[in-house]
Amino acid sequence: MNENVNSSCDSGIQRQCKKAKKDDGTQGQQVDVKDQAVEKKTYPLGPDRRTELTPTMHGCDSEARSTHDSHPSQQHLMSSSVDEDDKGDFDLYRAEEELVEELKHKYQSYPDPPGESQSSVSAPEDIQTYSEKEWKGNTSKSRLIRKGYDIIANKFTLRLVRGDNYCALRATLFQVLSLSKQLPVWLGESDITEWPKRVNSNGGIIKEWRFPLESRKGKVEMLEQCLNRLRKRWQEAVQCKSLQERERMCQQVFVGQEEEYELLEALKFLMLRTAILLHAVMTKGSDVPEFCWLLFARDSSKCPKSLLINHLRHVGFNGGLEQVEMCLLGHCLQQTIQVYRLYKYDTEEFITYYPNDHREDWPSLCLLTEDDRHYNALVPKRSTNFDECGRPMWKQPSEGQSHETTRL
């Protein structure tokens, strides 16, 4: 973790951006979504035509407030993702109880592996077709988003990701399992399932964790199980002998059932553990990635425990990942998360890297967002089966049956 990092998480770090407003009423406030002349859709893949606004959580000991001591070069990571003059429809976060009840109902209703109609990641689809269908309006925002889609349509196809508050984690995990050529060094460590005990040994922090599905196991034991699942699936992914085999494996995972959510919770734990290690290095005065200064400058995440209580434990329930937390996610996985931010089209922030300090030596994962709230996965278009980095390019299996995902 002792890395001397001189770059930021964003290509536009030199810009001064407004700070995010910390407000207890985040869940009840009006937020913006697409202003388009088409009806809202009801299927859960993609943003579900809902807005996933990352909320500001309460601090451990005091009310969350605007951050005044963040580094100027990265203040944009703390800013709101919504333009104040953008008016449109609004929606609220799904209540925690609603999500838990939905997951319970799914698990009880589908004791056997569900069919493809339950997939939480869609089959690839043409970007221009999707753009023309979803953004038919003639407002300035609609035109801007369409331009963003047009500029990448020749390079990628689109895979829609289920539009709940896990979407950033889910899109990242899907790309990891889809593209990884080898296991990262940290995942090969034999004691990875011991990490929850070690983290919990200092103050019992794991007692603050919560899971989307109930279990008779203790929280430490559950996290050990989550990490073990992640290691096995990642190993299985890199050992797949064909693109079709890997595609089928991903379709087994991303079905909105117990395994998928345990893998997503494993990513959240890795973020917490990495935050603990980085905070310890930072406290000693040693060099840390620049995003750490913003991460721990927030009143609601002054330390790893408050980061868990006020942010990470809410992800998937009533909040998504903020930009600075996307940097933490990429750092803990040792993957550069490259995001095309369509509402930033024609600015230096159109393509953003989370984090920005290992672009040359870490694998790159491509995601897309229209508003920094919901994330979908991008599949590169290539004439060959592999890109310049040797990662496989996706094609749908064609072995006598259709594997196309059906939207709910």
Side-chain angles (χ1 to χ4, degrees), residues 167-406:
C167 69
L169 292 171
R170 180 179 288 110
T172 300
L173 177 64
F174 176 81
Q175 293 292 63
V176 163
L177 296 182
S178 298
L179 302 175
S180 294
K181 291 283 289 182
Q182 61 184 15
L183 291 177
V185 175
W186 60 266
L187 192 60
E189 296 184 15
S190 58
D191 63 346
I192 181 175
T193 57
E194 295 295 318
W195 289 353
K197 290 181 181 177
R198 296 178 187 176
V199 167
N200 197 51
S201 64
N202 186 14
I205 190 173
I206 300 301
K207 69 181 179 182
E208 305 293 346
W209 208 275
R210 59 178 175 179
F211 296 91
L213 293 171
E214 293 182 358
S215 173
R216 294 181 180 180
K217 297 180 179 180
K219 294 182 178 181
V220 171
E221 187 180 0
M222 272 299 299
L223 287 173
E224 292 171 353
Q225 177 174 304
C226 294
L227 290 171
N228 191 46
R229 278 189 185 269
L230 178 63
R231 179 171 58 186
K232 287 183 177 179
R233 279 300 189 182
W234 205 328
Q235 288 174 334
E236 182 181 350
V238 300
Q239 291 170 1
C240 285
K241 298 180 180 180
S242 68
L243 303 179
Q244 289 83 2
E245 184 181 352
R246 197 184 284 217
E247 172 73 9
R248 282 191 288 273
M249 185 213 71
C250 287
Q251 290 181 356
Q252 293 171 3
V253 171
F254 294 96
V255 290
Q257 294 295 302
E258 180 181 21
E259 180 183 17
E260 178 180 342
Y261 288 99
E262 288 186 7
L263 293 175
L264 298 176
E265 290 299 316
L267 298 190
K268 288 166 59 176
F269 173 79
L270 292 175
M271 292 175 67
L272 173 63
R273 177 180 180 271
T274 300
I276 292 173
L277 297 176
L278 290 171
H279 188 264
V281 173
M282 184 175 170
T283 301
K284 294 177 182 178
S286 301
D287 293 325
V288 292
E290 191 173 354
F291 73 82
C292 294
W293 295 100
L294 279 179
L295 185 68
F296 298 118
R298 300 183 301 182
D299 291 326
S300 57
S301 60
K302 292 289 188 182
C303 63
K305 183 176 181 179
S306 59
L307 172 66
L308 171 61
I309 293 174
N310 300 326
H311 294 272
L312 290 181
R313 75 190 300 261
H314 298 275
V315 173
F317 292 90
N318 58 351
L321 292 182
E322 298 181 17
Q323 282 185 273
V324 69
E325 292 157 2
M326 290 289 287
C327 292
L328 177 62
L329 174 61
H331 189 90
C332 78
L333 296 176
Q334 294 184 7
Q335 308 273 329
T336 297
I337 305 174
Q338 177 181 339
V339 179
Y340 287 82
R341 304 165 70 199
L342 299 187
Y343 82 104
K344 293 288 188 179
Y345 173 72
D346 208 22
T347 74
E348 58 187 2
E349 298 176 43
F350 176 51
I351 303 177
T352 303
Y353 300 88
Y354 304 109
N356 194 38
D357 55 337
H358 286 278
R359 290 168 57 185
E360 302 301 322
D361 54 310
W362 282 358
S364 180
L365 311 174
C366 288
L367 306 183
L368 175 142
T369 183
E370 296 173 350
D371 51 15
D372 285 344
R373 299 164 184 163
H374 179 77
Y375 293 83
N376 289 315
L378 291 173
V379 182
K381 289 182 177 179
R382 298 287 178 179
S383 58
T384 61
N385 290 334
F386 298 89
D387 65 9
E388 66 277 3
C389 297
R391 292 186 293 269
M393 296 296 100
W394 281 109
K395 293 181 180 178
Q396 286 297 104
S398 57
E399 297 180 0
Q401 60 179 350
S402 172
H403 291 266
E404 186 164 329
T405 305
T406 303

